[in-house]
Amino acid sequence: MTDQAPAAYAGPKRILSGIQASGSLHLGNYLGALKRFVAVQNADTFVFVADLHAITVWQDPAQLAAQTREIAAAYLASGLDPKLATIFPQSAVPQHTELAWIFNCVARLGWLDRMTQFKEKSGKHKERSSVGLYTYPVLQAADILLYKATHVPVGEDQKQHLELTRDIAQKFNNDFNVPGFFPITEPVIEGPATRVMSLRDGAAKMSKSDPSDQSRINLLDDADAIASKIRKARTDPEPLPETLDGLAERPEAGNLVGVYAALADLTKAEVIAQFGGKGFGVFKPALADLAVQRLAPITAEMRRLMADPAEIDGVLKAGAEKARDIAAPVVAETRKLVGLLQL
Ligand code: TYM
């Protein structure tokens, strides 16, 4: 505790995010997260594979390493540059779990009880869910605050977890009387595709866990699969509207327009200006062509990298070393603030 502690966080702007190593990546992950990580990357960017979050639900041990490498391959194939961004598996930096324990003792049960993702994932069988699934958002707060990250680009479904991260930072800073020790992180949820919806149901999020493979475009799908899934995507019979307001009650149409906009680096309004009045017979093939054009090179590079695990492991190992160098002093200082013995 120091009288001179700054009231506001005075550290550098630092961008951080992660993706869980569970199941295959889809277009929602790409547009809501990956593509945006690439757009904002700078020399102070941390992007990790959340393998510890993945094991909050059963993962086949024989598959987990491959799933971890698949996410790393997607990072690299999408354009993250390991010379700029620090890319690593969460579990290779033991300070994530150490800080998570301290935060488990800061976060309140009532806060976690409100987490909608736990409710969705545990469903009717709450008592049979792992304890890890329940405290999952606390580990996420540790992932972020361990690096004193100030900006976290994510899709809309992570908003509540980021609010919890802010609450934990605030409470820690208050409890230990260290204003500004942990930053009050800004969620960065921007662009036309922060919530990509299922291709089969405009009311459901595109998700790794949807039993229907037709509901999502996987990053490893080939061109034929992409085109066929878009052709069969559920829509209404009307042509696209002439104005954005006309999408308000049309979730499926709105979703496809958002996907087109994100892939083409346009706004939804610009897409409507181009396709307003045209039917899906015109729009869907244009979207399929664009999706294939943008995704095929990423898929090809992912496949090349996944065939060479040594290259991926080299990047992850170097990233983990760099991450540990940043994480270790933060945890050491946190331990001191909490009063844990320094031996
Ligand atoms: P995960 O693995 O579920 O998703 C990874 C990223 O993809 C985004 N996303 C979507 N965006 C748009 N439309 C969709 N349909 C869609 N589905 C997923 C997510 O919002 C996310 O940005 N708990 C996190 C991983 C995590 C993390 C962190 C993220 C662990 N620690 C620290 C940021 C900071 C998760 O399970 O994401």
Side-chain angles (χ1 to χ4, degrees):
M1 212 282 285
T2 139
D3 289 332
Q4 287 88 40
Y9 180 70
K13 173 176 175 180
R14 177 167 288 158
I15 300 157
L16 171 142
S17 203
I19 296 183
Q20 251 190 102
S22 51
S24 59
L25 287 165
H26 53 70
L27 186 66
N29 298 128
Y30 177 65
L31 296 177
L34 273 163
K35 184 171 187 286
R36 297 176 46 234
F37 302 165
V38 176
V40 296
Q41 71 178 321
N42 63 23
D44 211 358
T45 300
F46 291 74
V47 184
F48 60 92
V49 185
D51 50 356
L52 297 173
H53 277 107
I55 61 169
T56 57
V57 295
W58 168 255
Q59 302 294 331
D60 182 346
Q63 296 294 321
L64 187 59
Q67 289 167 200
T68 302
R69 291 191 183 107
E70 180 183 328
I71 309 277
Y75 286 155
L76 296 170
S78 302
L80 280 180
D81 175 357
K83 287 194 216 74
L84 288 173
T86 304
I87 303 172
F88 59 100
Q90 180 189 34
S91 66
V93 183
Q95 287 85 358
H96 285 250
T97 38
E98 193 172 358
L99 189 61
W101 180 258
I102 293 174
F103 285 171
N104 268 330
C105 304
V106 173
R108 306 289 92 182
L109 270 180
W111 299 358
L112 289 185
D113 281 341
R114 286 197 286 276
M115 294 292 118
T116 53
Q117 190 163 308
F118 175 75
K119 289 179 198 158
E120 280 160 27
K121 286 199 178 176
S122 59
K124 294 194 195 85
H125 305 294
K126 184 176 166 208
E127 63 292 341
R128 277 193 258 149
S129 300
S130 73
V131 176
L133 188 66
Y134 187 71
T135 62
Y136 172 123
V138 176
L139 176 59
Q140 185 159 346
D143 297 338
I144 295 168
L145 297 174
L146 183 55
Y147 302 93
K148 300 196 172 186
T150 57
H151 294 78
V152 178
V154 280
E156 215 175 277
D157 60 352
Q158 297 300 314
K159 190 164 180 241
Q160 200 184 30
H161 292 161
L162 293 199
E163 280 160 7
L164 184 93
T165 301
R166 293 164 67 93
D167 289 343
I168 289 176
Q170 189 85 61
K171 183 156 168 36
F172 184 96
N173 292 350
N174 285 345
D175 285 358
F176 297 96
N177 201 8
V178 278
F181 179 70
F182 285 119
I184 309 302
T185 306
E186 289 296 332
V188 186
I189 303 174
E190 287 171 357
T194 54
R195 188 175 175 80
V196 177
M197 307 309 276
S198 155
L199 298 178
R200 310 301 304 161
D201 175 0
K205 195 181 67 171
M206 185 176 285
S207 137
K208 292 169 192 162
S209 54
D210 193 316
S212 164
D213 191 59
Q214 292 296 315
S215 70
R216 65 184 160 262
I217 291 173
N218 302 300
L219 281 195
L220 291 173
D221 280 347
D222 61 24
D224 288 346
I226 294 176
S228 144
K229 286 177 182 180
I230 292 178
R231 204 172 45 244
K232 291 188 198 142
R234 188 169 141 184
T235 46
D236 55 50
E238 302 299 317
L240 285 173
E242 304 282 351
T243 65
L244 256 193
D245 294 348
L247 286 174
E249 304 297 321
R250 300 176 61 187
E252 285 88 8
N255 186 44
L256 295 186
V257 169
V259 166
Y260 190 105
L263 284 169
D265 292 314
L266 297 171
T267 63
K268 282 169 105 170
E270 286 167 330
V271 177
I272 286 297
Q274 208 176 321
F275 288 97
K278 302 218 164 71
F280 285 104
V282 173
F283 183 63
K284 279 183 171 178
L287 176 58
D289 284 352
L290 177 65
V292 169
Q293 187 197 329
R294 292 293 150 99
L295 299 180
I298 296 173
T299 309
E301 179 63 359
M302 273 179 79
R303 289 197 186 284
R304 186 193 71 75
L305 285 162
M306 284 158 66
D308 185 5
E311 186 177 340
I312 299 179
D313 290 1
V315 170
L316 291 177
K317 195 159 182 281
E321 277 162 19
K322 221 170 124 193
R324 281 193 295 261
D325 285 348
I326 308 275
V330 175
V331 164
E333 207 177 337
T334 307
R335 291 178 54 116
K336 206 158 112 198
L337 290 169
V338 173
L340 298 170
L341 203 54
Q342 312 290 309
L343 294 172

